[in-house]
């Protein structure tokens, strides 16, 4: 009886997962969802550094200063 040759298992691509990121401003954790990751990739954006609340406040301050 001939033993079957062992084949290296093909690695399946990993399922995209939500990622937890720490906000640079408030230092709270926020979730970067798979959907948002796909959007950022499609647009060529970098990974976010700020949570949504801090980002809103930052945009508000910039608009107020340079309006």
């Amino acid at each position: 009886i001939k033993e079957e040759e062992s084949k290296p298992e093909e690695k399946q691509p990993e399922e995209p997962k939500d990622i937890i990121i720490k906000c640079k401003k408030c230092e709270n954790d926020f979730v970067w969802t798979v959907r948002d990751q796909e959007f950022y990739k499609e647009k060529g954006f970098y990974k976010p550094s700020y949570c949504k609340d801090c980002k809103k406040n930052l945009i508000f301050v910039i608009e107020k200063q340079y309006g």
Side-chain angles (χ1 to χ4, degrees), residues 8-50:
E9 282 190 37
E10 290 182 30
K11 285 190 175 183
Q12 296 293 328
E14 278 192 40
E15 286 275 325
K17 296 178 185 172
D18 291 350
I19 298 173
I20 305 295
I21 301 174
K22 185 176 288 290
C23 177
K24 278 187 173 181
K25 185 164 173 68
C26 69
E27 298 187 355
N28 288 325
D29 290 339
F30 66 96
V31 178
W32 191 29
T33 64
V34 170
R35 186 175 179 188
D36 284 345
Q37 291 172 48
E38 290 168 353
F39 175 80
Y40 274 60
K41 184 177 180 180
E42 180 182 301
K43 298 294 182 184
F45 297 155
Y46 294 108
K47 180 173 81 170
S49 300
Y50 301 98

Side-chain angles (χ1 to χ4, degrees), residues 2-10:
K2 187 176 181 181
E3 288 184 36
E4 287 185 36
E5 291 182 31
S6 62
K7 297 179 184 176
E9 282 190 37
E10 290 182 30

Side-chain angles (χ1 to χ4, degrees), residues 57-67:
N57 289 335
L58 183 61
I59 291 169
F60 175 76
V61 168
I62 291 170
E63 286 178 346
K64 191 173 179 181
Q65 286 181 343
Y66 301 103

